[in-house]
Amino acid sequence: MRAPVHVPADPAAASFDLSAFRRALTDRTAAAVRALRERIGSETLYAFALYTDAESGYASVRASANTEEGLARAATARAADDPRFRGEAGRRLLRWSAADWDFHDFDAGVREVALPDPAGRRESLDRAILTAMVGALRSVDRAGLFGRGADRAFLTVNVLCPHPSRAFFVRNLRALNPVPTVERHLRETDAAPLVRAVNRAPRRERMRIWLALYEDLYMEWKTPIAEEARARGMSPWDVEAELVKFGPKVVPKLLDLLAHYGFAPPFDSARELETREVWLAGSALFLVRRIGAVPEGQIHRMQTLVAAFVERDRRLKIASTLAENTARVLHELRPRRFPESVMDPQTYKLLNPEPFLPRRR
């Protein structure tokens, strides 16, 4: 067994030798790629990555790789329990999920290259470590170990972490791959084709699809369109940008979501966070504020919801923030009519509900 490559653990220490780290990582990565080529035989390697803990605060580095055949095996195995992973859809979902790859963390030599403790680490050192990881992969690539010509264009090389943002993924993708490889990947994962496909539908149907996707993504439901959107890097905030384009016409539908989900239990004790239902309700409410041009009938509906939230909150020790948030949005939409809201910072309850309640007729 190889002896671990030692790098000083103090992130602030001037003795930390980035050059030595890069050389050690380059050597171990090159050896890992050679061993991987022998191990996969005739299978088609499509991805190789240095896999680390997060987009910053790097505490470890691993070698991770996958083949088209390994991808198919993983999707088939998952499809036995979950039909979402059948066929091409399953392969799309797992293609860039490094933790699910056949050859994830496959090489002890790379694993033994030590990194300094990330606690209190300077941002400049973090950036330098990422640069060293990219540099190690470039050196291996220049040696021809990732292939040449068409073979190299087919293989995607990257630095990955759990759930990387699109910006992190694409930045490293561009730094490490030939232009044709980058362009192919961006075509496969670009959200634009999905957006165009939805927006070719008639306007009313288009709104219905975007609202359904908005709900699916916030609730983390595994519908086909939600999984396709996730595979293309779309978030609920991207969907919000599409919903805003409908203007006041979408406001009643957003208030439907507020009314439907706003009375769910406020907190998820297992996650120690607000429930997904309350997140979705709050998001829909603030999207109404973002649209701005809210008809008077919908203002009255929001007042009715404030009254219902306040009544519900009387029975709770700790409430959701929806009563106060709805009152706040009413103030921002009609500042001459509604005062600023006041919230109890301990219970999150609305302390001045009266001005926001519907007038008795």
Side-chain angles (χ1 to χ4, degrees):
M1 182 177 178
R2 301 184 189 94
V5 176
H6 176 70
V7 178
D10 181 3
S15 59
F16 177 58
D17 192 338
L18 278 164
S19 297
F21 168 75
R22 175 173 168 172
R23 286 194 302 272
L25 186 58
T26 300
D27 291 345
R28 297 294 178 89
T29 301
V33 174
R34 293 188 184 99
L36 178 67
R37 293 289 190 184
E38 293 183 6
R39 185 173 174 183
I40 66 175
S42 61
E43 292 193 1
T44 303
L45 184 67
Y46 76 84
F48 184 93
L50 290 178
Y51 186 87
T52 187
D53 310 83
E55 295 186 18
S56 61
Y58 315 111
S60 66
V61 60
R62 306 283 190 263
S64 190
N66 209 17
T67 63
E68 292 290 349
E69 294 81 358
L71 177 65
R73 287 191 294 270
T76 299
R78 295 282 286 274
D81 298 318
D82 189 337
R84 293 179 306 126
F85 292 93
R86 291 175 183 162
E88 178 58 27
R91 291 190 290 274
R92 283 180 62 85
L93 290 173
L94 296 176
R95 181 169 289 275
W96 300 109
S97 178
D100 293 301
W101 288 354
D102 250 20
F103 304 97
H104 178 58
D105 189 14
F106 70 92
D107 187 83
V110 174
R111 192 184 313 126
E112 291 164 2
V113 179
L115 280 167
D117 187 341
R121 181 186 293 164
R122 302 185 310 274
E123 288 186 13
S124 58
L125 182 54
D126 244 15
R127 291 193 298 269
I129 290 171
L130 178 59
T131 299
M133 287 191 277
V134 170
L137 288 170
R138 281 177 173 164
S139 297
V140 173
D141 195 11
R142 283 195 295 269
L145 297 179
F146 291 136
R148 300 191 187 279
D151 288 342
R152 174 61 185 91
F154 183 80
L155 174 63
T156 300
V157 179
N158 213 330
V159 176
L160 297 180
C161 64
H163 311 296
S165 68
R166 185 167 178 80
F168 184 83
F169 190 106
V170 172
R171 182 169 63 249
N172 297 326
L173 179 79
R174 292 187 184 280
L176 287 164
N177 294 277
V179 171
T181 305
V182 174
E183 291 180 347
R184 186 190 70 248
H185 178 85
L186 293 179
R187 283 196 305 272
E188 292 172 353
T189 60
D190 188 8
L194 177 60
V195 173
R196 287 195 297 269
V198 174
N199 286 339
R200 280 197 293 267
R203 185 174 177 84
R204 183 176 297 178
E205 180 68 7
R206 193 187 321 159
M207 184 192 298
R208 186 194 67 78
I209 295 170
W210 284 125
L211 283 165
L213 180 57
Y214 181 58
E215 191 174 4
D216 291 348
L217 291 177
Y218 258 107
M219 294 301 294
E220 297 184 8
W221 288 337
K222 297 174 181 179
T223 61
I225 190 171
E227 295 295 0
E228 176 71 12
R230 291 186 189 102
R232 293 182 175 275
M234 289 191 72
S235 71
W237 301 280
D238 298 313
V239 180
E240 287 181 2
E242 296 298 323
L243 288 172
V244 165
K245 297 175 184 178
F246 294 98
K249 290 184 178 180
V250 78
V251 167
K253 300 297 184 182
L254 294 171
L255 292 182
D256 286 346
L257 292 173
L258 175 61
H260 181 70
Y261 288 107
F263 295 93
F267 295 102
D268 183 337
S269 57
R271 300 190 309 154
E272 299 183 349
L273 294 168
E274 286 186 321
T275 59
R276 293 187 182 92
E277 290 84 354
V278 170
W279 277 358
L280 173 55
S283 172
L285 172 64
F286 287 115
L287 193 53
V288 168
R289 178 183 65 181
R290 182 175 168 187
I291 291 168
V294 178
E296 188 58 31
Q298 302 306 318
I299 293 290
H300 183 268
R301 188 179 179 192
M302 292 173 67
Q303 290 180 267
T304 302
L305 284 169
V306 170
F309 289 145
V310 168
E311 182 62 29
R312 185 271 312 272
D313 291 350
R314 288 196 179 103
R315 302 189 296 271
L316 302 174
K317 289 183 178 180
I318 303 294
S320 76
T321 58
L322 286 174
E324 189 276 332
N325 285 346
T326 307
R328 189 194 322 170
V329 171
L330 283 168
H331 166 69
E332 292 171 352
L333 292 172
R334 301 285 197 277
R336 294 183 179 180
R337 181 170 162 189
F338 299 105
E340 292 186 7
S341 59
V342 181
M343 183 179 71
D344 186 321
Q346 303 299 319
T347 66
Y348 305 129
K349 295 182 181 182
L350 178 65
L351 294 178
N352 59 333
E354 290 77 12
F356 303 97
L357 303 181
R359 294 178 181 176
R360 294 180 180 179
R361 296 179 180 178

